[in-house]
Amino acid sequence: MNYQLSGVAMTNVFGLKFHSLFLAAALLLAGGPALAEKRVALVIGNGAYQNVPRLTNPVNDGNTIAATLKGAGFDVVDSRRDLPAAETRRALRDFADRARDADIAVVYYAGHGIEVEGGNYLIPVDAKLERDTDVYDEALSLDRVLLAVEPAKKLRLVILDACRDNPFTKSMKRTVASRAIGQGLAKVEPNSPNLLIAYSAKAGSTAADGDGKNSPFTAALSKHLTTPGLDVRRAFGYVRDDVLKTTNNRQEPFVYGSLGGDDVPLVAAPKVAAPAANPQAGIRRDYELALQIGNKAALNAFLTQHSDGFYASLARLQLEKIAAEDARVAATEKARLAEQERARLVAEGAQKSTQAKAEADAKAAEQARVAAEKATEVAKAQAAAAEQKRVEAEKAAEAGTKVAALSSPTSTDKPNLASLSSGVPQADVARSMQAELQRVGCLSGEVDGDWGPNSQRSLSLFNRYAETKFDTKLASADALDTIKTKKARVCPLVCDHGFKAQGDACVKIVCAAGTVLNDDNECVKRREKQPVAKRNKPERQAPAAKQNAQGYQAPQAKQAAAGRSNSPSIGQRGQVLTGQERQQGCSSFGAVMSGVCP
């Protein structure tokens, strides 16, 4: 039998094979999404304990975490509740099989846990634990749980909300008096790589069960753990902050173990379409790197690669600023040495000509220093203006505004900008500047990243007391660098009346006894009240007896007149008057003043 095929038949055969290969390749490519990370989880919530009081929240906590992981797209979420010992072992064994081809494996447990002799154990709902040795038979060691997540390739995560106050420890008999049974769970040191063990409370402390539907730890977990793109370590950091805040710092979650340098999120970040390529993006990145290094070598290396264009002009301005600063430092040192030499010659009593020459040198060095400082301020201002214009252009490009390509900046003109892509967010620069201005005493408001009137006034105060000339309308990296160089307070502390500056705070002025605070905030001696002088009124003399129109005088008045006529008269000096002196009227004030009477 002849099995040779004709040319047409051979063509059909080869065409069929090629079609099959093409179809297989297409199916392989179509299966690409199946190559995504596989994530599996086992969730256990034990609350219906048979031999101790029930726990309310663990079942609710387990349901919440299971729903969170399912919503995050986990491939397998095995949720169990109120498991006795045998079923717990079976669940762990089945989960280990699922984790063999998984990239991420998570076990969450809520319920009672116990620490005996440094080992940690999870307690099933049917455990009795009448003696301390029963833990080894009736409970499951943490090592058994770690064994279940061991096959996962990228992340092995065990979360234990099991640090509650355990009632088993109170009724448990001790077979050996020295056997230690701790509070909460014991600290662990994982030996396996890519393994994290998260406790709801730090080792040796207990966790709150919570008054709401979930425990504080689980409520924070459901909020942060599956945030897309968030590294799992940062997620637990946010969980820690929330729990500390909720429990008034009484409960601090803790994570044991370590991961590598790459971010490991439970949920990958959503893919973002790549922005349109910008021809200057690479040059800008090189410039920003050189600017971050901030020395001559880095900027000269940038100019070697990019000798022309906008960023090259910016780099030259930065070089001029560095050169001006170096010149200022050298001039300052020269002025210091010249003044030191002049003072030495004066102290040693050198010849006047020598002293005069040294004084002239010191004066010239001081003038050079002042000129160098002015040149440095000019160079800094030009570089700062260039950076501000660059930030403005990057913000405009970020918003989709087209900026026309203009001429390159020079050392004497403000730079014009070409079209740029997005750079460092302005809010970050503003927030950093606010924090630094607050540190040097020039900002009293909040650090919120909003460069408003209050922030502009604070930079104006800094310019005044630091003798700089930065534009207050914008927050710039150059101004930030300058503020960072100030190691102490720049703006003086201003206090209200009745208070005085003490360090970085205003304290109330307390005056000593007998002193008061005046309008100048000084304690002065209290003024005593001065007596007020009063004019003495003349003694009121008894009125003379009056007669009526018919000459009638009262008997009492007659007796008084008779008594006065019979009694001896007294002169102004106190002596008794003679009869002649009385006749002359020496008892009257006018006679005495005339000088006739004594």
Side-chain angles (χ1 to χ4, degrees), residues 400-540:
T401 304
K402 294 182 179 180
V403 181
L406 302 176
S407 59
S408 299
T410 63
S411 60
T412 57
D413 299 325
K414 289 185 178 180
N416 297 314
L417 303 180
S419 175
L420 303 175
S421 61
S422 61
V424 180
Q426 182 70 6
D428 293 344
V429 179
R431 187 176 292 105
S432 299
M433 279 192 62
Q434 287 173 337
E436 289 299 318
L437 286 169
Q438 192 177 70
R439 181 183 62 81
V440 298
C442 298
L443 176 66
S444 58
E446 296 182 355
V447 177
D448 54 8
D450 181 15
W451 193 255
N454 190 36
S455 300
Q456 294 174 16
R457 283 193 298 271
S458 67
L459 182 56
S460 178
L461 284 173
F462 180 84
N463 283 337
R464 175 183 174 187
Y465 291 103
E467 299 181 352
T468 55
K469 298 179 181 179
F470 295 114
D471 186 357
T472 60
K473 295 181 180 179
L474 289 175
S476 65
D478 195 65
L480 176 61
D481 292 341
T482 302
I483 299 172
K484 285 182 177 179
T485 61
K486 306 299 181 182
K487 303 302 181 184
R489 171 182 285 276
V490 173
C491 299
L493 181 63
V494 179
C495 300
D496 295 334
H497 181 264
F499 294 83
K500 64 179 179 180
Q502 184 171 320
D504 289 333
C506 292
V507 297
K508 188 175 182 180
I509 300 174
V510 180
C511 294
T515 61
V516 294
L517 190 69
N518 63 8
D519 294 338
D520 295 329
N521 260 12
E522 297 175 343
C523 292
V524 296
K525 187 175 181 181
R526 187 191 305 274
R527 293 182 179 180
E528 300 293 340
K529 292 185 178 180
Q530 299 296 332
V532 180
K534 296 182 179 179
R535 180 175 296 175
N536 294 328
K537 296 181 179 180
E539 294 182 1
R540 189 175 180 179

Side-chain angles (χ1 to χ4, degrees), residues 278 280-281 284-285 311 393-395 397-398 419-423:
N278 190 318
Q280 289 188 312
R284 190 201 72 206
R285 285 194 297 269
Y311 288 104
E394 289 173 352
K395 289 177 67 177
E398 199 174 51
S419 175
L420 303 175
S421 61
S422 61

